[in-house]
Amino acid sequence: MSGCPYFEKRHLLLKNKPPKKEEDEDASQQGVNKASKGGIIYGDYLQLGKVVTAQVLQSELKGNKIHDEHLFIVTHQAYELWFKQILWELDSVREIFISGHVRDERNMLKVNTRIHRIVMIFRLLVDQFAVLETMTALDFFDFREYLAPASGFQSLQFRLLENKIGVPDNLRVPYNRHHYRDIFKGHESELLLCSEQEPTLLKLVEEWLERTPGLEEDSFNFWEKLQINIFHGLNLEKEKIEKMPDSEDKEELMAELIKQKELFTSLFDEKRHDHLLSKGERRLSYKALQGALMINFYREEPRFQVPFQLLTSLMDIDTLMTKWRYNHVCMVHRMIGSKAGTGGSSGYHYLRSTVSDRYKVFVDLFNLATFLVPRHWVPKLNPNVHTFLYTAECCDSSYCSSEDSD
């Protein structure tokens, strides 16, 4: 029987192929083991001797080793390490703002990169709950008695993080009718007090937004032009509705138009804004709100693309912190029901009260969508006249390259 011509030819080719030289046989083994020559090695560089031996099971110390306590400890230690990294990035961003380096717009890429890194870490922290939830309520119950009076509320780094981002002290939910700082003593309390007195990310972003180019009254004067355009547009809408025959639809459209007019009347009322600011319902100054809205409307213009990305990332941080709190609430409810927390709080009920806009720092950025209008109502820009959107501010004295700053 004749064989397949293809395989016969292939067999001959393989048979006649010259053998590989020994040095060509495995290129993957041609490296050099530098560690054998001395110097710092992986475990020493990462201090793994300390890290991987830091899991001390209280249940084991009490003579009743519970398997899942190890997972509980590792998960929370991982949270704290990521909190440390967030604080590292947050402090560096705040320093760029505080030092004035942000006035050179080339530094905005660095700010955006580090804020985006914080966003990605928070995404990881939100997802990390899924690992902890592989433990059942009964598994947790087995070692929970060994934790008291330790509590997640005592996480110094998370409280510092809240303060440095800009969670307002007067809007915090009291902890067992006490100020949150009362839980901390000595040096930790001093660190928290110091963080309350430092410029927050919210305050620094507010000052940056107040300098948005195009807000100047003697220049483009965006705010006045926007006000004129919006009320002109609303008046045209009113005329159009009035020409409609009487109907239920006409009444509904007119009622909605009246609401819109009241909404925009309040937007352009600085005293109204200051009143809402004093009540904690707004967080940004009147001028900063104008800047944020301008960046949103002109986000496609070259100079505002990076600022728009920054505002989006700041909202992402708020969103993810809210999701983190919510996931924490759900997990606690699932694990302990309505029992008191190990630190003495009301547990689930206390945590649930923190999932609200009270803890949302950049809430004004979310509310900007309330004031969106048709694109043709937005003041038009003439590239030949309004050059501020095409020429960024670059001051060599304030530019900090990667070599010059952390």
Side-chain angles (χ1 to χ4, degrees):
M1 181 185 289
S2 62
C4 174
Y6 169 76
F7 282 108
E8 284 183 358
K9 289 180 180 179
R10 186 170 180 270
H11 174 71
L12 290 172
L13 287 170
L14 292 172
K15 186 176 181 181
N16 298 327
K17 191 174 182 180
K20 286 183 178 180
K21 294 181 180 179
E22 189 176 339
E23 61 268 20
D24 295 336
E25 284 186 358
D26 195 351
S28 68
Q29 299 302 312
Q30 292 181 3
V32 177
N33 184 10
K34 293 184 178 180
S36 63
K37 299 179 180 180
I40 193 166
I41 60 173
Y42 183 79
D44 295 338
Y45 177 71
L46 296 178
Q47 298 287 294
L48 293 182
K50 298 177 182 177
V51 175
V52 300
T53 57
Q55 296 74 43
V56 180
L57 278 63
Q58 293 300 308
S59 60
E60 186 174 16
L61 294 178
K62 301 295 192 298
N64 182 30
K65 182 179 177 180
I66 304 299
H67 177 85
D68 279 9
E69 187 181 359
H70 192 276
L71 171 67
F72 186 82
I73 293 173
V74 168
T75 304
H76 284 78
Q77 287 177 338
Y79 274 126
E80 290 296 333
L81 282 173
W82 282 123
F83 290 159
K84 183 174 184 179
Q85 185 63 36
I86 291 173
L87 287 168
W88 179 264
E89 304 296 345
L90 184 58
D91 283 343
S92 73
V93 168
R94 289 168 58 245
E95 181 55 34
I96 291 174
F97 278 99
I98 291 170
S99 64
H101 288 305
V102 75
R103 287 184 176 274
D104 190 309
E105 295 177 38
R106 290 173 293 181
N107 290 317
M108 287 308 297
L109 178 61
K110 184 178 290 185
V111 169
N112 254 11
T113 300
R114 294 177 182 178
I115 290 294
H116 180 65
R117 185 176 295 162
I118 292 173
V119 170
M120 298 311 293
I121 293 172
F122 267 118
R123 289 193 194 282
L124 184 65
L125 297 185
V126 169
D127 291 340
Q128 192 169 292
F129 278 103
V131 179
L132 200 54
E133 287 172 346
T134 61
M135 179 174 61
T136 67
L138 187 56
D139 294 332
F140 182 51
F141 181 81
D142 287 340
F143 65 87
R144 184 173 182 256
E145 62 178 300
Y146 302 117
L147 305 181
S151 164
F153 186 87
Q154 298 156 8
S155 170
L156 172 66
Q157 291 193 120
F158 191 75
R159 302 303 156 207
L160 288 171
L161 194 160
E162 289 178 324
N163 287 348
K164 292 185 178 191
I165 289 177
V167 172
D169 184 56
N170 62 320
L171 292 182
R172 282 183 177 274
V173 177
Y175 185 77
N176 292 346
R177 298 185 179 85
H178 286 83
H179 190 274
Y180 85 99
R181 210 184 327 112
D182 293 346
I183 305 301
F184 301 87
K185 306 297 179 187
H187 181 60
E188 291 188 345
S189 181
E190 290 174 9
L191 284 174
L192 288 169
L193 182 60
C194 183
S195 69
E196 290 174 14
Q197 296 168 348
E198 294 172 356
T200 65
L201 181 62
L202 172 65
K203 182 63 178 175
L204 295 167
V205 168
E206 176 186 72
E207 293 172 354
W208 168 71
L209 285 170
E210 289 174 345
R211 298 195 303 270
T212 302
L215 293 181
E216 304 89 348
E217 292 182 6
D218 58 352
S219 177
F220 181 59
N221 200 356
F222 161 74
W223 201 240
E224 183 178 306
K225 284 183 170 65
L226 181 67
Q227 183 176 4
I228 292 170
N229 285 12
I230 286 177
F231 286 106
H232 176 68
L234 289 172
N235 288 334
L236 291 178
E237 288 291 317
K238 182 180 179 183
E239 292 173 8
K240 189 190 300 182
I241 295 172
E242 286 175 340
K243 291 177 182 177
M244 294 172 59
D246 292 341
S247 66
E248 189 174 328
D249 286 345
K250 179 179 180 179
E251 291 179 6
E252 289 178 357
L253 287 171
M254 188 60 76
E256 180 60 30
L257 183 70
I258 291 171
K259 288 181 182 178
Q260 287 292 305
K261 194 165 186 177
E262 290 174 351
L263 172 72
F264 285 107
T265 298
S266 69
L267 173 65
F268 293 104
D269 185 345
E270 187 172 358
K271 289 183 179 179
R272 169 71 175 163
H273 178 92
D274 291 342
H275 175 66
L276 293 173
L277 200 63
S278 66
K279 292 172 61 180
E281 293 181 22
R282 285 190 183 164
R283 309 287 170 79
L284 293 172
S285 68
Y286 189 57
K287 190 73 173 289
L289 185 70
Q290 295 174 27
L293 198 56
M294 185 174 184
I295 290 170
N296 268 264
F297 279 133
Y298 299 104
R299 62 192 179 278
E300 295 167 356
E301 301 297 341
R303 197 173 183 184
F304 283 172
Q305 290 177 8
V306 173
F308 177 73
Q309 290 172 348
L310 175 59
L311 298 186
T312 300
S313 292
L314 293 174
M315 287 191 288
D316 286 340
I317 289 175
D318 256 342
T319 298
L320 290 164
M321 287 190 73
T322 301
K323 286 182 178 179
W324 190 89
R325 292 180 196 278
Y326 180 73
N327 282 8
H328 189 203
V329 169
C330 291
M331 187 193 69
V332 167
H333 199 194
R334 173 179 170 175
M335 293 293 181
I336 68 171
S338 298
K339 292 178 183 176
T342 50
S345 74
S346 57
Y348 162 72
H349 298 289
Y350 167 76
L351 292 172
R352 188 178 63 180
S353 69
T354 66
V355 185
S356 70
D357 284 354
R358 296 165 69 116
Y359 285 83
K360 235 179 194 173
V361 176
F362 299 100
V363 65
D364 289 347
L365 300 182
F366 289 85
N367 288 333
L368 291 179
T370 311
F371 309 114
L372 296 182
V373 295
R375 286 178 184 263
H376 63 274
W377 289 13
V378 179
K380 296 292 184 292
L381 289 165
N382 183 340
N384 297 320
V385 178
H386 308 119
T387 58
F388 64 88
L389 281 179
Y390 308 94
T391 53
E393 183 179 349
C394 299
C395 312
D396 288 337
S397 60
S398 66
Y399 178 60
C400 54
S401 67
S402 56
E403 291 80 21
D404 298 330
S405 69
D406 293 334

